PDB file of all heavy atoms in Angstrom:
ATOM      1  N   ALA A1676      33.555   0.237   5.524  1.00 96.00           N
ATOM      2  CA  ALA A1676      32.072   0.200   5.527  1.00 96.00           C
ATOM      3  C   ALA A1676      31.550   1.005   6.723  1.00 96.00           C
ATOM      4  O   ALA A1676      30.518   1.681   6.530  1.00 96.00           O
ATOM      5  CB  ALA A1676      31.595  -1.301   5.631  1.00 96.00           C
ATOM      6  N   LEU A1677      32.115   0.878   7.896  1.00 97.00           N
ATOM      7  CA  LEU A1677      31.671   1.661   9.025  1.00 97.00           C
ATOM      8  C   LEU A1677      31.864   3.159   8.804  1.00 97.00           C
ATOM      9  O   LEU A1677      30.937   3.969   9.200  1.00 97.00           O
ATOM     10  CB  LEU A1677      32.392   1.259  10.259  1.00 97.00           C
ATOM     11  CG  LEU A1677      32.026  -0.152  10.702  1.00 97.00           C
ATOM     12  CD1 LEU A1677      33.071  -0.607  11.865  1.00 97.00           C
ATOM     13  CD2 LEU A1677      30.732  -0.431  11.148  1.00 97.00           C
ATOM     14  N   ARG A1678      32.833   3.513   8.155  1.00 97.00           N
ATOM     15  CA  ARG A1678      33.142   4.899   7.767  1.00 97.00           C
ATOM     16  C   ARG A1678      31.956   5.455   6.878  1.00 97.00           C
ATOM     17  O   ARG A1678      31.506   6.567   6.976  1.00 97.00           O
ATOM     18  CB  ARG A1678      34.488   5.170   7.158  1.00 97.00           C
ATOM     19  CG  ARG A1678      34.854   6.558   6.761  1.00 97.00           C
ATOM     20  CD  ARG A1678      36.220   6.752   6.383  1.00 97.00           C
ATOM     21  NE  ARG A1678      36.570   6.085   5.195  1.00 97.00           N
ATOM     22  CZ  ARG A1678      37.374   4.969   5.194  1.00 97.00           C
ATOM     23  NH1 ARG A1678      37.934   4.383   6.266  1.00 97.00           N
ATOM     24  NH2 ARG A1678      37.606   4.327   4.100  1.00 97.00           N
ATOM     25  N   ALA A1679      31.662   4.625   5.808  1.00 98.00           N
ATOM     26  CA  ALA A1679      30.490   4.987   5.006  1.00 98.00           C
ATOM     27  C   ALA A1679      29.233   5.114   5.721  1.00 98.00           C
ATOM     28  O   ALA A1679      28.341   5.927   5.374  1.00 98.00           O
ATOM     29  CB  ALA A1679      30.301   3.916   3.956  1.00 98.00           C
ATOM     30  N   LEU A1680      28.995   4.353   6.707  1.00 98.00           N
ATOM     31  CA  LEU A1680      27.716   4.463   7.617  1.00 98.00           C
ATOM     32  C   LEU A1680      27.781   5.858   8.329  1.00 98.00           C
ATOM     33  O   LEU A1680      26.787   6.559   8.240  1.00 98.00           O
ATOM     34  CB  LEU A1680      27.606   3.461   8.624  1.00 98.00           C
ATOM     35  CG  LEU A1680      27.517   1.915   8.086  1.00 98.00           C
ATOM     36  CD1 LEU A1680      27.226   1.004   9.365  1.00 98.00           C
ATOM     37  CD2 LEU A1680      26.385   1.865   7.057  1.00 98.00           C
ATOM     38  N   ARG A1681      28.925   6.250   8.858  1.00 97.00           N
ATOM     39  CA  ARG A1681      29.000   7.485   9.622  1.00 97.00           C
ATOM     40  C   ARG A1681      28.728   8.663   8.547  1.00 97.00           C
ATOM     41  O   ARG A1681      28.140   9.617   8.936  1.00 97.00           O
ATOM     42  CB  ARG A1681      30.349   7.602  10.352  1.00 97.00           C
ATOM     43  CG  ARG A1681      30.498   8.908  11.093  1.00 97.00           C
ATOM     44  CD  ARG A1681      31.730   9.082  11.851  1.00 97.00           C
ATOM     45  NE  ARG A1681      31.664  10.260  12.704  1.00 97.00           N
ATOM     46  CZ  ARG A1681      32.720  10.696  13.493  1.00 97.00           C
ATOM     47  NH1 ARG A1681      33.820   9.962  13.657  1.00 97.00           N
ATOM     48  NH2 ARG A1681      32.601  11.748  14.343  1.00 97.00           N
ATOM     49  N   GLU A1682      29.409   8.622   7.506  1.00 97.00           N
ATOM     50  CA  GLU A1682      29.388   9.652   6.550  1.00 97.00           C
ATOM     51  C   GLU A1682      27.911   9.799   6.028  1.00 97.00           C
ATOM     52  O   GLU A1682      27.382  10.929   5.944  1.00 97.00           O
ATOM     53  CB  GLU A1682      30.156   9.407   5.319  1.00 97.00           C
ATOM     54  CG  GLU A1682      31.750   9.513   5.631  1.00 97.00           C
ATOM     55  CD  GLU A1682      32.620   9.112   4.578  1.00 97.00           C
ATOM     56  OE1 GLU A1682      32.098   8.543   3.474  1.00 97.00           O
ATOM     57  OE2 GLU A1682      33.924   9.366   4.554  1.00 97.00           O
ATOM     58  N   ALA A1683      27.192   8.718   5.831  1.00 97.00           N
ATOM     59  CA  ALA A1683      25.810   8.825   5.313  1.00 97.00           C
ATOM     60  C   ALA A1683      24.872   9.402   6.468  1.00 97.00           C
ATOM     61  O   ALA A1683      24.107  10.205   6.259  1.00 97.00           O
ATOM     62  CB  ALA A1683      25.325   7.586   4.981  1.00 97.00           C
ATOM     63  N   ALA A1684      25.099   9.060   7.726  1.00 96.00           N
ATOM     64  CA  ALA A1684      24.330   9.584   8.811  1.00 96.00           C
ATOM     65  C   ALA A1684      24.584  11.066   9.011  1.00 96.00           C
ATOM     66  O   ALA A1684      23.651  11.866   9.294  1.00 96.00           O
ATOM     67  CB  ALA A1684      24.707   8.852  10.156  1.00 96.00           C
ATOM     68  N   ASP A1685      25.900  11.434   9.004  1.00 96.00           N
ATOM     69  CA  ASP A1685      26.324  12.843   9.026  1.00 96.00           C
ATOM     70  C   ASP A1685      25.483  13.801   8.088  1.00 96.00           C
ATOM     71  O   ASP A1685      25.139  14.842   8.308  1.00 96.00           O
ATOM     72  CB  ASP A1685      27.752  13.018   9.039  1.00 96.00           C
ATOM     73  CG  ASP A1685      28.549  12.548  10.200  1.00 96.00           C
ATOM     74  OD1 ASP A1685      27.915  12.207  11.232  1.00 96.00           O
ATOM     75  OD2 ASP A1685      29.810  12.469  10.056  1.00 96.00           O
ATOM     76  N   ALA A1686      25.495  13.141   6.832  1.00 95.00           N
ATOM     77  CA  ALA A1686      24.864  13.919   5.684  1.00 95.00           C
ATOM     78  C   ALA A1686      23.389  14.147   6.024  1.00 95.00           C
ATOM     79  O   ALA A1686      22.887  15.257   5.738  1.00 95.00           O
ATOM     80  CB  ALA A1686      25.005  13.188   4.454  1.00 95.00           C
ATOM     81  N   THR A1687      22.624  13.180   6.704  1.00 94.00           N
ATOM     82  CA  THR A1687      21.246  13.402   6.911  1.00 94.00           C
ATOM     83  C   THR A1687      20.990  14.313   8.048  1.00 94.00           C
ATOM     84  O   THR A1687      20.027  15.099   7.973  1.00 94.00           O
ATOM     85  CB  THR A1687      20.513  12.098   7.349  1.00 94.00           C
ATOM     86  OG1 THR A1687      21.163  11.497   8.568  1.00 94.00           O
ATOM     87  CG2 THR A1687      20.707  10.967   6.270  1.00 94.00           C
ATOM     88  N   TYR A1688      21.888  14.423   8.975  1.00 91.00           N
ATOM     89  CA  TYR A1688      21.673  15.379  10.100  1.00 91.00           C
ATOM     90  C   TYR A1688      21.700  16.882   9.453  1.00 91.00           C
ATOM     91  O   TYR A1688      21.051  17.798   9.979  1.00 91.00           O
ATOM     92  CB  TYR A1688      22.661  15.259  11.226  1.00 91.00           C
ATOM     93  CG  TYR A1688      22.361  16.247  12.436  1.00 91.00           C
ATOM     94  CD1 TYR A1688      21.633  15.766  13.424  1.00 91.00           C
ATOM     95  CD2 TYR A1688      22.945  17.495  12.314  1.00 91.00           C
ATOM     96  CE1 TYR A1688      21.167  16.723  14.423  1.00 91.00           C
ATOM     97  CE2 TYR A1688      22.617  18.401  13.472  1.00 91.00           C
ATOM     98  CZ  TYR A1688      21.884  17.938  14.461  1.00 91.00           C
ATOM     99  OH  TYR A1688      21.533  18.836  15.451  1.00 91.00           O
ATOM    100  N   ALA A1689      22.656  16.993   8.491  1.00 89.00           N
ATOM    101  CA  ALA A1689      22.629  18.374   7.932  1.00 89.00           C
ATOM    102  C   ALA A1689      21.262  18.959   7.380  1.00 89.00           C
ATOM    103  O   ALA A1689      21.138  19.939   7.164  1.00 89.00           O
ATOM    104  CB  ALA A1689      23.708  18.384   6.842  1.00 89.00           C
ATOM    105  N   ARG A1690      20.350  17.860   6.975  1.00 90.00           N
ATOM    106  CA  ARG A1690      19.030  18.220   6.507  1.00 90.00           C
ATOM    107  C   ARG A1690      17.997  18.054   7.562  1.00 90.00           C
ATOM    108  O   ARG A1690      16.750  18.180   7.284  1.00 90.00           O
ATOM    109  CB  ARG A1690      18.708  17.241   5.477  1.00 90.00           C
ATOM    110  CG  ARG A1690      19.821  17.259   4.266  1.00 90.00           C
ATOM    111  CD  ARG A1690      19.294  16.406   3.053  1.00 90.00           C
ATOM    112  NE  ARG A1690      19.085  15.061   3.313  1.00 90.00           N
ATOM    113  CZ  ARG A1690      19.942  14.184   3.154  1.00 90.00           C
ATOM    114  NH1 ARG A1690      21.198  14.458   2.831  1.00 90.00           N
ATOM    115  NH2 ARG A1690      19.683  12.840   3.517  1.00 90.00           N
ATOM    116  N   ARG A1691      18.424  18.027   8.918  1.00 91.00           N
ATOM    117  CA  ARG A1691      17.420  17.988   9.944  1.00 91.00           C
ATOM    118  C   ARG A1691      16.452  19.142   9.880  1.00 91.00           C
ATOM    119  O   ARG A1691      16.921  20.231   9.904  1.00 91.00           O
ATOM    120  CB  ARG A1691      18.154  17.859  11.331  1.00 91.00           C
ATOM    121  CG  ARG A1691      17.195  18.114  12.502  1.00 91.00           C
ATOM    122  CD  ARG A1691      16.423  16.938  12.949  1.00 91.00           C
ATOM    123  NE  ARG A1691      17.321  15.857  13.434  1.00 91.00           N
ATOM    124  CZ  ARG A1691      17.674  15.719  14.778  1.00 91.00           C
ATOM    125  NH1 ARG A1691      17.530  16.677  15.506  1.00 91.00           N
ATOM    126  NH2 ARG A1691      18.427  14.705  15.146  1.00 91.00           N
ATOM    127  N   ASP A1692      15.126  18.809   9.951  1.00 93.00           N
ATOM    128  CA  ASP A1692      14.021  19.775   9.921  1.00 93.00           C
ATOM    129  C   ASP A1692      13.403  19.797  11.298  1.00 93.00           C
ATOM    130  O   ASP A1692      12.605  18.943  11.506  1.00 93.00           O
ATOM    131  CB  ASP A1692      13.104  19.634   8.833  1.00 93.00           C
ATOM    132  CG  ASP A1692      12.078  20.727   8.682  1.00 93.00           C
ATOM    133  OD1 ASP A1692      11.766  21.416   9.692  1.00 93.00           O
ATOM    134  OD2 ASP A1692      11.393  20.824   7.668  1.00 93.00           O
ATOM    135  N   TRP A1693      13.739  20.701  12.255  1.00 95.00           N
ATOM    136  CA  TRP A1693      13.283  20.581  13.552  1.00 95.00           C
ATOM    137  C   TRP A1693      11.595  20.731  13.613  1.00 95.00           C
ATOM    138  O   TRP A1693      10.950  20.109  14.338  1.00 95.00           O
ATOM    139  CB  TRP A1693      13.823  21.528  14.515  1.00 95.00           C
ATOM    140  CG  TRP A1693      15.236  21.264  14.946  1.00 95.00           C
ATOM    141  CD1 TRP A1693      16.316  21.716  14.389  1.00 95.00           C
ATOM    142  CD2 TRP A1693      15.597  20.249  15.806  1.00 95.00           C
ATOM    143  NE1 TRP A1693      17.563  21.152  14.947  1.00 95.00           N
ATOM    144  CE2 TRP A1693      17.063  20.293  15.822  1.00 95.00           C
ATOM    145  CE3 TRP A1693      15.065  19.329  16.646  1.00 95.00           C
ATOM    146  CZ2 TRP A1693      17.867  19.557  16.767  1.00 95.00           C
ATOM    147  CZ3 TRP A1693      15.717  18.588  17.540  1.00 95.00           C
ATOM    148  CH2 TRP A1693      17.095  18.514  17.590  1.00 95.00           C
ATOM    149  N   ASP A1694      11.159  21.586  12.732  1.00 96.00           N
ATOM    150  CA  ASP A1694       9.692  21.826  12.624  1.00 96.00           C
ATOM    151  C   ASP A1694       8.958  20.534  12.276  1.00 96.00           C
ATOM    152  O   ASP A1694       7.976  20.095  12.779  1.00 96.00           O
ATOM    153  CB  ASP A1694       9.487  22.873  11.635  1.00 96.00           C
ATOM    154  CG  ASP A1694       9.850  24.239  12.077  1.00 96.00           C
ATOM    155  OD1 ASP A1694       9.191  24.787  13.022  1.00 96.00           O
ATOM    156  OD2 ASP A1694      10.733  24.840  11.537  1.00 96.00           O
TER     157      ASP A1694
END
Side-chain angles (χ1 to χ4, degrees):
L1677 296 173
R1678 182 171 61 251
L1680 298 187
R1681 182 178 185 179
E1682 290 172 351
D1685 288 349
T1687 61
Y1688 184 89
R1690 302 190 297 271
R1691 166 81 69 83
D1692 182 343
W1693 287 103
D1694 289 290

